[in-house]
Amino acid sequence: MIESVGRAISSPRSRASVALVSATLLLAGCGSGGDGATTAADSTKVPAALASAFPGKKATGAPVRIGLITNEGGSAISQPETREAAQAAMKYANANLGGIAGRPVELTVCKTKEEPATARDCANQMVEQKVDAVVLTSSGLGDSMVPIVTKAGIPWATAIAASNSEGTTPNAFSWTGGFPTTMTSMAAYAKEKGYKKVAAFVIDAPAAVSGIEAIGKPVFARAGIGLQVVTVAAGTPDASPQVSAALRNKPDAVAVVADPTVCTSVLQAMGTLGAGIARMTVQSCVSPEVVQAVGAGMDGVQVFSSFDVAGNDPEAQLFRQVMKEYSPDTPTQGYAAVGYQGVLGLVRALHGLTGTVSAKTITAALRTAKDVVLPAGHGITFSCDSKAVPGLPAACSAKEVTGTVSDGKLGQLRVVDPSSLFAR
């Protein structure tokens, strides 16, 4: 029922929920890292199967200045790997794809520290520096930044919209549908499996819970599935009481939408109390620390994400090769791929752009972008014609990647299309 979602996310309550639910999920990438850009490996050999993706078409001339906003340097959330992956995508595009309109891409970086004041400062810096477009790697503070950037006539792009403004502003573009399509994809998968009751374990933050209530419940109901929301406090070391209480309702499956700490406590408890019950999770629940802590209890977990970085799909192989070539010290798990998707998605969407490159011509080209291959997207394509997700005109695709964990690795990857659950 994305029509309901569209109405819900336009309200102040749900606007905050979508942003902060997404910010909560970003905790999968919490940590610290180096500040400088990484350099390319020395003459790394490109596998023959990927040779055509490295044609050596170098960009020349005056650079196209693209703003890159990241959420790093903060005390709660810091993701330098998303910037490093974005910079790797830039280097790859400049060395092999002719950059944008034959000119090299130059990234102007600003770090929000995931604080409203620094987020607004970053947006204002982009306007002052007159960049031609802005790419956000990941943040829950889009509502503080998008209006500033787009009112200046500068297009905004991201791989995963995490705020109301990113999903609804005319000059904003999101290669995927973000949190609404993740929940809708879970519902579509649950319907496919014949589940009738699902218990969702959600981190107990007011915004996160209201987001599940506003988005999760309607789409699961449309799929004919009852969704029970069970909250778990952040930092809970043992979620056995919550899991035990939820299992009394005999759900066919459980979903986990939380940060790695809560993911770990819920999945460990499920291994003890709910063995054999199907489990669905978001990307944060397969971060390395969760997989290590839960161990064999991860087997069979169904994961929903906007990207595939571990499979044998050509796009996953290209991601790993680009990172090996241009940012070899950057961890490729977690959320690094969203920075890569954001920048390379922009370059691909502007493939046909020639002549003058400006904020105006980039906006026009993005509005006509059609069937663009989503980087690391397991075959997903995006079209920015405002038709992908009802209520979210900036979303360019509704599809998600899903896969099953086995022996600590994500496999059996495929694409889920939840469009049948959208109310049009």
Side-chain angles (χ1 to χ4, degrees):
M1 293 178 66
I2 295 301
E3 183 176 63
S4 299
V5 171
R7 288 196 299 268
I9 62 177
S10 66
S11 69
R13 175 175 179 267
S14 292
R15 184 179 307 171
S17 72
V18 174
L20 293 181
V21 166
S22 299
T24 298
L25 301 186
L26 293 176
L27 292 175
C30 283
S32 60
D35 193 52
T38 51
T39 57
D42 293 334
S43 61
T44 304
K45 184 176 177 59
V46 176
L50 294 175
S52 63
F54 289 82
K57 182 183 178 182
K58 293 185 178 181
T60 59
V64 177
R65 298 180 66 212
I66 303 297
L68 184 75
I69 298 179
T70 72
N71 63 349
E72 58 180 302
S75 58
I77 298 177
S78 184
Q79 293 180 296
E81 69 274 15
T82 65
R83 168 183 49 79
E84 292 166 0
Q87 291 170 323
M90 174 200 70
K91 293 174 184 176
Y92 164 70
N94 287 344
N96 293 280
L97 307 180
I100 293 175
R103 294 164 52 186
V105 177
E106 178 182 278
L107 295 179
T108 299
V109 178
C110 190
K111 303 167 185 177
T112 69
K113 298 182 181 179
E114 205 58 15
E115 299 167 351
T118 52
R120 288 190 295 271
D121 182 59
C122 279
N124 284 316
Q125 284 187 42
M126 297 303 161
V127 175
E128 291 167 3
Q129 297 187 39
K130 298 180 180 180
V131 298
D132 296 309
V134 170
V135 173
L136 174 74
T137 59
S138 55
S139 173
L141 299 174
D143 286 331
S144 297
M145 298 182 282
V146 174
I148 296 172
V149 171
T150 56
K151 284 179 181 178
I154 301 171
W156 177 278
T158 186
I160 305 175
S163 67
N164 183 70
S165 293
E166 289 174 285
T168 60
T169 302
N171 285 357
F173 303 88
S174 175
W175 312 148
T176 68
F179 181 71
T181 56
T182 296
M183 292 308 301
T184 309
S185 294
M186 278 191 180
Y189 175 84
K191 180 180 180 181
E192 176 187 303
K193 290 294 184 180
Y195 303 151
K196 296 301 181 185
K197 293 192 294 183
V198 172
F201 295 97
V202 185
I203 190 167
D204 191 10
V209 176
S210 62
I212 293 292
E213 294 283 352
I215 297 171
K217 279 194 172 180
V219 296
F220 272 80
R222 188 170 179 81
I225 302 166
L227 186 68
Q228 175 192 8
V229 177
V230 182
T231 59
V232 182
T236 298
D238 182 7
S240 295
Q242 294 92 331
V243 170
S244 179
L247 294 182
R248 293 191 192 107
N249 291 324
K250 298 183 178 180
D252 301 304
V254 301
V256 188
V257 181
D259 71 319
T261 301
V262 170
C263 290
T264 298
S265 63
V266 169
L267 292 172
Q268 285 179 331
M270 282 295 300
T272 302
L273 303 172
I277 297 177
R279 293 146 296 159
M280 301 180 289
T281 74
V282 291
Q283 179 74 25
S284 50
C285 290
V286 287
S287 59
E289 62 266 39
V290 178
V291 174
Q292 182 176 5
V294 179
M298 291 295 298
D299 285 352
V301 168
Q302 195 71 25
V303 182
F304 293 80
S305 175
S306 71
F307 51 80
D308 161 24
V309 298
N312 292 322
D313 182 83
E315 281 295 319
Q317 294 183 52
L318 177 61
F319 169 74
R320 295 193 296 268
Q321 187 63 34
V322 167
M323 296 303 292
K324 182 179 179 181
E325 285 269 352
Y326 299 105
S327 195
D329 297 327
T330 301
T332 56
Q333 301 304 313
Y335 273 82
V338 299
Y340 170 88
Q341 281 188 319
V343 169
L344 188 54
L346 178 69
V347 171
R348 287 181 175 178
L350 299 178
H351 175 70
L353 181 62
T354 58
T356 302
V357 179
S358 65
K360 186 175 181 179
T361 60
I362 287 177
T363 301
L366 289 178
R367 286 177 177 162
T368 59
K370 185 174 178 60
D371 298 329
V372 179
V373 176
L374 178 68
H378 202 78
I380 293 173
T381 61
F382 63 87
S383 298
C384 298
D385 54 8
S386 299
K387 297 179 181 179
V389 182
L392 294 175
C396 300
S397 174
K399 297 179 180 179
E400 288 261 321
V401 180
T402 187
T404 309
V405 178
S406 177
D407 294 328
K409 297 180 181 180
L410 195 59
Q412 301 178 44
L413 292 152
R414 65 185 180 91
V415 172
V416 175
D417 184 354
S419 298
S420 63
L421 295 182
F422 295 161
R424 297 185 182 275

